[in-house]
Amino acid sequence: MIIYGGSEGTVLATKVAKLLDAKLGKIEITKFPDGEKYIRYHDEVENEDVVVIHPMGLKPDELFIEYLLICSALKDGKAKSITTFVPYFAYARQDNRFNPGEPGSFHLVSKIIDDLGIDIIYTIDLHLQRVNDLSELIKKTPTKNLSAVPDIAKWIKDSAGLKNPLVIGPDEESEQWAKVAAETMGVDYEIMFKTRYSATEVSITTKEGKPLPVNGRDVVIIDDIISSGGTIIEAVKLIQEAGAGKIVVGCTHPVLRGKTPFDSALANIYDSGVSIVVGTDTVPSQVSYVSVADVIARTIKETL
Ligand code: R5P
């Protein structure tokens, strides 16, 4: 087996190769003077099982093209199988046409990926709100969604020193992650309800407008992505009003971009009163304390 990391996946691929004692592939990724990507692998891949670890984090357009080029080159090289891990999937949040004139971006991305002839695509805590399963979009290629939430919840349980915590999902969709985190920590959970007005503006309410049962309790907010930080900051306001103690936030994908290029989502979240923010390395960040290398290595071990 040969494991390759795309340009945002180099560290993860190295960790996974070490965990599995597997060969780390040599891949050259550069740019032509006009900005086009150039990729070339330097291994004999014919009849080999190859794994590509390719988060499409903070440069989604560029990394999407890079993914297509890497997979296509390996396919041409007659690899026996191509297994890809796309921990942060570009365009997944645009899984619908929200307004007339929009392109249905994730449908388009899915169609292009489906033509590559990959054997399986693993995602991690993929943001799909309006379809039940990625197979409704990527129709030919098998896909499977993994989760980093048990590892995040374990980290919080072991490291955050919380007293009688309640897990809270800041919107309806996050119930799937809040439930798993609560089970892992052996505590209960609640969810909140979100209305989104724009990419950065949201409002949050509680069930029937009632205060959350957090008076005197510590709280763990769990979500898949923190992007502008708007969701977390709005949720924190209501949690504090209800008398919570320490507030810890866990997410899989710490995009942490803020509302403008000069804004820091992380600074704003800490400023709102949160004690600890923890994310994973699907998007390398200052708070990527949990690595998804373990979940990727476990999956490879069980399937290849
Ligand atoms: C969907 O709404 C997601 O689960 C996250 O809650 C959202 O992407 C977070 O975005 P932001 O940090 O910009 O509120």
Side-chain angles (χ1 to χ4, degrees):
M1 184 205 309
I2 308 178
I3 300 181
Y4 289 99
S7 50
E8 291 281 310
T10 320
V11 176
L12 255 182
T14 308
K15 284 185 184 171
V16 172
K18 280 258 174 272
L19 285 169
L20 295 172
D21 199 14
K23 177 174 175 179
L24 185 65
K26 285 196 188 64
I27 189 160
E28 194 184 332
I29 303 175
T30 56
K31 277 186 184 172
F32 285 101
D34 65 359
E36 285 175 8
K37 271 271 155 94
Y38 172 84
I39 85 103
R40 183 180 176 196
Y41 61 82
H42 293 278
D43 306 279
E44 187 45 68
V45 299
E46 192 168 346
N47 288 324
E48 293 284 347
D49 290 314
V50 298
V51 172
V52 179
I53 301 177
H54 193 82
M56 298 180 194
L58 301 175
K59 295 175 282 174
D61 295 338
E62 190 180 320
L63 292 166
F64 175 63
I65 297 290
E66 189 183 302
Y67 178 72
L68 301 182
L69 297 175
I70 294 172
C71 294
S72 157
L74 292 169
K75 190 80 192 163
D76 291 347
K78 299 191 174 53
K80 181 169 147 208
S81 70
I82 304 178
T83 297
T84 73
F85 289 83
V86 187
Y88 180 82
F89 215 124
Y91 290 95
R93 286 192 289 174
Q94 295 190 55
D95 59 351
N96 204 359
R97 283 190 179 82
F98 303 98
N99 296 294
E102 291 178 354
S105 307
F106 199 44
H107 288 260
L108 178 62
V109 163
S110 300
K111 261 195 250 166
I112 299 170
I113 286 180
D114 231 349
D115 276 343
L116 289 169
I118 296 167
D119 290 80
I120 184 159
I121 302 171
Y122 289 98
T123 55
I124 300 185
D125 296 321
L126 181 68
H127 183 98
L128 282 184
Q129 211 164 336
R130 285 143 286 259
V131 289
N132 294 320
D133 195 89
L134 188 53
S135 62
E136 290 174 32
L137 295 170
I138 299 184
K139 296 190 170 122
K140 289 187 275 180
T141 315
T143 57
K144 189 160 190 240
N145 191 36
L146 308 170
S147 184
V149 171
D151 290 341
I152 297 168
K154 205 168 163 303
W155 187 95
I156 293 172
K157 189 177 180 192
D158 295 346
S159 319
L162 299 181
K163 286 192 212 102
N164 188 23
L166 177 73
V167 172
I168 294 183
D171 53 25
E172 286 171 276
E173 192 211 357
S174 63
E175 179 163 10
Q176 55 189 306
W177 301 299
K179 188 167 184 279
V180 171
E183 278 166 11
T184 309
M185 297 176 69
V187 300
D188 47 344
Y189 76 91
E190 292 277 338
I191 59 160
M192 299 168 95
F193 301 87
K194 178 165 83 182
T195 308
R196 183 171 281 289
Y197 304 106
S198 72
T200 55
E201 302 302 325
V202 297
S203 70
I204 298 212
T205 54
T206 55
K207 198 172 174 189
E208 294 160 5
K210 291 192 185 135
L212 291 157
V214 293
N215 197 6
R217 294 179 74 176
D218 291 339
V219 164
V220 177
I221 306 176
I222 292 284
D223 207 354
D224 57 341
I225 301 174
I226 303 175
S227 179
S228 69
T231 299
I232 298 299
I233 290 167
E234 289 305 309
V236 164
K237 285 181 195 162
L238 292 179
I239 292 166
Q240 283 174 329
E241 272 170 31
K246 191 168 173 181
I247 303 174
V248 170
V249 177
C251 75
T252 303
H253 310 295
V255 175
L256 297 170
R257 284 296 92 174
K259 294 190 177 180
T260 68
F262 305 103
D263 196 26
S264 161
L266 191 57
N268 295 340
I269 291 170
Y270 280 128
D271 193 44
S272 75
V274 169
S275 306
I276 304 172
V277 181
V278 52
T280 79
D281 52 0
T282 62
V283 183
S285 76
Q286 286 177 63
V287 297
S288 297
Y289 305 128
V290 175
S291 180
V292 293
D294 287 332
V295 73
I296 293 177
R298 275 199 302 270
T299 307
I300 296 173
K301 217 175 198 170
E302 284 162 14
T303 56
L304 270 179

